[in-house]
Amino acid sequence: MKRKQIFISILLLVSLSLSACAGAATPTQAPAAPTAAAEQPTEKPAGGGKLEVFSWWTSGGEAAALEALFTQFKKYNPTAEIINATIAGGGGSNARAVLQTRLAGGDPPDTWQIHPGFELLGQYVASGYVDPITDLYKSEGWDKVMPAGLIEQMTKDGQIYGVLAGVHRGNGLWYNKKVLDAQGITVGATMSVDEFFQIANKLIAADITPLCVGDTGIWASAQLFENTLLGVIGPEKYKGLWDGSVAFDSPEVKSAMETYGKMLDYQNSDHSALSWDQAIKKLMEGTCVFSSMGDWAYGEFVKAQLKDNVDFGWVSHPGSAGSFMIVADGFVMAKNAPDKDNNTLFLKAIGSKEGQEAFNPLKGSIPARTDVDRAKFGVYHNWSMDSFAKDALVPSVVHGSAAPADFQQALNDAVTSFVVDKNVDAFAAALVKAAQDSGFAK
Ligand code: BGC
């Protein structure tokens, strides 16, 4: 698929009406633990063989959620040997390079983690590393229960190449509620950029670090920028960046860069020594207060058995209420997969209602399926499902969907420089050039 066509797919994604998970009332209880009583697959269990699953899910919450997928797969094949091939590094910062080496060397795992859009279509489908799974959409009825806009992001020439385990909301601002309560600070239903700085200044006055960042993988700081960009310029202009109608050196983008630079002044001094989940741990401990992070952070709170709206809280990243930054996670069928039969069962387990209901409460994402039982999900997930149903849906560049890999890399490089020199003109010029090199600037 040509880049232009992929960009058109991105626009389709954001313009199609995605009515996932809308409807039921929001419960107030904590998320229900996945039950062992989920339906068993109807077909006779297969036996033996291997299944190698490649991902970067190594944090406490990520590993627990991945294990839940394995448990679902074992219902289909209790005796298969599962090879859990993980490479640590949030956002796939290390894993994607290792995977490329394996794929180029003809040594594919059976399946691996993908983001729809450019990452799947540009890096894996275009290179011929994956087989279509369109027949599974028909046999499993996924074509009727997965949002068309997301399927479109995984489709080339009428063939579908991935199945989604869940959909993360990237633009969350998480906070330690007990620390804020002790300071007499209340966070409302939304937060503006100005409100963020007012609260941050109060915290500084009380000798408390406002912002928790862990950017050993620079993507975490790039995500702080991505969320701030969305919050400052709004979803329509944010979308315009990816079709070339908004320039990276326009005054509003530069203003977002200024705001991002200002935010960096409030982060923990050890940010570059920490991973994203170590930063969330600091938030839990109360040595810093806010973290701008996708809702895989929620998985860490679940793993630590913290309580929603008691120990921790959330709000959209400042200024970004009304938008849902999509970071969807899917899995594929490798071409020449060592064990296609087991992988078919694994993909079926992922796309099943039971699989989605078991995995997502632990991972923090919402199910991609539209027919799950909302009562099985807690207050955060219902909040996020409502946001997905009614808000502007925008693609993440930091997590591979909005732009080609060369732009994603150039953004990370530009962020690496900016956190040191805070030079807005240089930052803007680097992104203008990257968009031109990548072929989507007008
Ligand atoms: C993935 C999430 C993952 C996060 C941090 C994102 O790119 O989509 O599943 O939890 O990175 O590792």
Side-chain angles (χ1 to χ4, degrees):
M1 184 182 284
K2 298 220 170 59
R3 281 182 174 182
K4 201 164 166 203
Q5 288 171 283
I6 301 178
F7 278 116
I8 290 168
S9 297
I10 302 284
L11 294 179
L12 263 175
L13 161 72
V14 295
S15 60
L16 276 170
S17 162
L18 306 182
S19 58
C21 312
T26 303
T28 50
Q29 78 276 15
T35 60
E39 268 174 48
Q40 296 295 323
T42 45
E43 58 200 274
K44 194 166 154 287
K50 290 187 183 177
L51 172 74
E52 184 177 11
V53 179
F54 185 97
S55 80
W56 58 87
W57 286 344
T58 57
S59 76
E62 290 174 336
L66 181 57
E67 197 53 47
L69 285 185
F70 293 156
T71 302
Q72 294 297 317
F73 163 70
K74 282 183 199 150
K75 291 181 183 170
Y76 294 79
N77 183 349
T79 56
E81 180 194 340
I82 297 173
I83 303 163
N84 184 8
T86 51
I87 302 284
S93 41
N94 304 320
R96 276 180 282 111
V98 174
L99 178 64
Q100 280 297 344
T101 305
R102 284 190 59 174
L103 295 177
D107 173 33
D110 294 299
T111 188
W112 62 88
Q113 185 185 348
I114 56 95
H115 296 122
F118 278 95
E119 188 179 307
L120 171 62
L121 300 177
Q123 290 173 49
Y124 306 127
V125 176
S127 311
Y129 290 139
V130 285
D131 275 342
I133 54 169
T134 319
D135 51 344
L136 282 178
Y137 273 74
K138 299 209 168 63
S139 66
E140 304 305 294
W142 296 339
D143 46 351
K144 297 188 184 61
V145 294
M146 302 272 188
L150 292 177
I151 294 178
E152 175 69 28
Q153 289 282 289
M154 300 186 288
T155 301
K156 183 193 174 192
D157 299 336
Q159 298 288 348
I160 313 172
Y161 286 88
V163 58
L164 296 178
V167 185
H168 281 295
R169 189 176 191 277
N171 54 317
L173 186 73
W174 306 90
Y175 55 88
N176 183 313
K177 186 155 188 314
K178 290 199 165 146
V179 173
L180 289 185
D181 287 349
Q183 296 299 318
I185 297 168
T186 308
V187 173
T190 63
M191 188 187 284
S192 67
V193 171
D194 287 349
E195 281 166 337
F196 173 77
F197 286 121
Q198 278 160 19
I199 295 175
N201 286 331
K202 275 193 201 162
L203 292 170
I204 292 282
D207 208 17
I208 300 168
T209 303
L211 199 56
C212 316
V213 175
D215 58 358
T216 45
I218 196 63
W219 68 272
S221 198
Q223 182 170 298
L224 177 62
F225 170 62
E226 172 175 87
N227 284 341
T228 305
L229 186 59
L230 175 64
V232 171
I233 74 176
E236 288 315 311
K237 291 216 161 123
Y238 176 86
K239 283 185 239 171
L241 290 168
W242 313 120
D243 66 12
S245 60
V246 174
F248 281 95
D249 59 354
S250 59
E252 57 268 38
V253 172
K254 285 189 170 182
S255 159
M257 289 170 172
E258 300 278 0
T259 304
Y260 165 56
K262 205 169 141 196
M263 281 193 171
L264 294 176
D265 294 340
Y266 292 84
Q267 69 186 340
N268 45 310
S269 56
D270 58 350
H271 62 92
S272 59
L274 303 178
S275 59
W276 72 270
D277 48 317
Q278 287 171 325
I280 295 294
K281 189 151 182 279
K282 270 176 92 92
L283 182 158
M284 294 183 201
E285 291 162 356
T287 51
C288 49
V289 180
F290 290 101
S291 186
S292 182
M293 191 44 65
D295 52 16
W296 42 92
Y298 185 85
E300 300 307 300
F301 297 124
V302 171
K303 179 77 183 163
Q305 300 187 316
L306 299 190
K307 286 199 173 58
D308 305 41
N309 289 326
V310 175
D311 299 308
F312 70 96
W314 64 88
V315 68
S316 292
H317 180 87
S320 76
S323 294
F324 186 118
M325 177 81 77
I326 294 184
V327 186
D329 285 313
F331 284 85
V332 296
M333 171 67 76
K335 192 177 278 305
N336 304 323
D339 198 326
K340 270 193 191 269
D341 290 346
N342 272 334
N343 194 29
T344 299
L345 297 176
F346 183 59
L347 298 180
K348 281 186 183 179
I350 289 174
S352 71
K353 200 169 165 211
E354 300 74 26
Q356 304 240 322
E357 287 175 354
F359 170 79
N360 287 290
L362 302 175
K363 188 67 169 63
S365 40
I366 57 171
R369 288 182 72 120
T370 53
D371 60 344
V372 297
D373 181 358
R374 283 186 67 151
K376 289 188 177 155
F377 293 84
V379 63
Y380 174 71
H381 280 82
N382 276 277
W383 181 87
S384 183
M385 288 177 197
D386 286 342
S387 168
F388 187 78
K390 68 178 180 357
D391 289 343
L393 302 173
V394 295
S396 165
V397 58
V398 173
H399 298 278
S401 292
D406 55 352
F407 183 86
Q408 188 185 357
Q409 183 57 47
L411 172 64
N412 283 337
D413 294 345
V415 166
T416 303
S417 300
F418 185 75
V419 295
V420 176
D421 64 20
K422 302 270 179 71
N423 185 332
V424 165
D425 289 337
F427 192 13
L431 297 190
V432 167
K433 180 172 185 309
Q436 280 161 357
D437 292 348
S438 206
F440 64 92
K442 277 201 172 141

